[in-house]
Amino acid sequence: KATNDSRFFIRKLLFPLQYLVQLLAERITSNSRSGTRLVHILGFLFAEGYLMILPFIPLYLVSEPPEHHMAAIFTIMYYMLLGWISFWFQPRGNDRYKTK
C-alpha cells in the first residue's frame, strides 16, 4: 500500500472514464504533469460536447420529448464536467506515490 497513491482512490471510483484518460495521458506524455493536465483540458474541450449528445439518444429512440428530462440531462452534464475538472488539478508525484 505504500507504493500506491490513495489520493486518486475516490476520483478513480467516482470518475472511471476520466481515470482511464489519466492513465492514457500519462503514457502519452511520459508522466509529465503539465502534459497530462494539457491532455485533460484539450480532451474536455473536444469530448464534452460530443458526450452530451449521448443522453439524448435514448430519448429520441422512444420519441420522448427531452424537455421533460432536462434535470437528469443537466445532472449528467455537471457530473461529466466535475469529472474533467477534478483531474485538472493533479497532486505532485514523487518516488513513493504513483497514480497507476
Side-chain angles (χ1 to χ4, degrees), residues 30-45:
S30 300
N31 290 326
S32 167
R33 185 172 183 237
S34 59
T36 302
R37 186 179 295 163
L38 184 64
V39 168
H40 270 288
I41 291 171
L42 293 177
F44 166 74
L45 293 175

Side-chain angles (χ1 to χ4, degrees), residues 52 69-81:
M52 278 313 300
H69 305 280
M70 290 309 284
I73 290 172
F74 275 112
T75 302
I76 293 169
M77 180 184 70
Y78 286 127
Y79 164 78
M80 291 169 41
L81 180 67

Side-chain angles (χ1 to χ4, degrees), residues 22-94:
Q22 168 79 21
L23 294 179
L24 180 66
E26 287 177 348
R27 188 176 303 143
I28 289 172
T29 62
S30 300
N31 290 326
S32 167
R33 185 172 183 237
S34 59
T36 302
R37 186 179 295 163
L38 184 64
V39 168
H40 270 288
I41 291 171
L42 293 177
F44 166 74
L45 293 175
F46 292 112
E48 182 73 20
Y50 293 112
L51 290 176
M52 278 313 300
I53 295 171
L54 294 178
F56 288 102
I57 293 173
L59 297 176
Y60 286 119
L61 290 177
V62 295
S63 299
E64 180 73 20
E67 296 84 24
H68 297 182
H69 305 280
M70 290 309 284
I73 290 172
F74 275 112
T75 302
I76 293 169
M77 180 184 70
Y78 286 127
Y79 164 78
M80 291 169 41
L81 180 67
L82 180 65
W84 284 107
I85 292 174
S86 72
F87 276 90
W88 287 359
F89 304 101
Q90 298 296 323
R92 288 202 180 270
N94 56 25

Side-chain angles (χ1 to χ4, degrees), residues 1-5 95-98:
K1 292 215 171 206
T3 60
N4 290 334
D5 190 355
D95 294 336
R96 181 176 174 204
Y97 294 110
K98 303 290 182 196

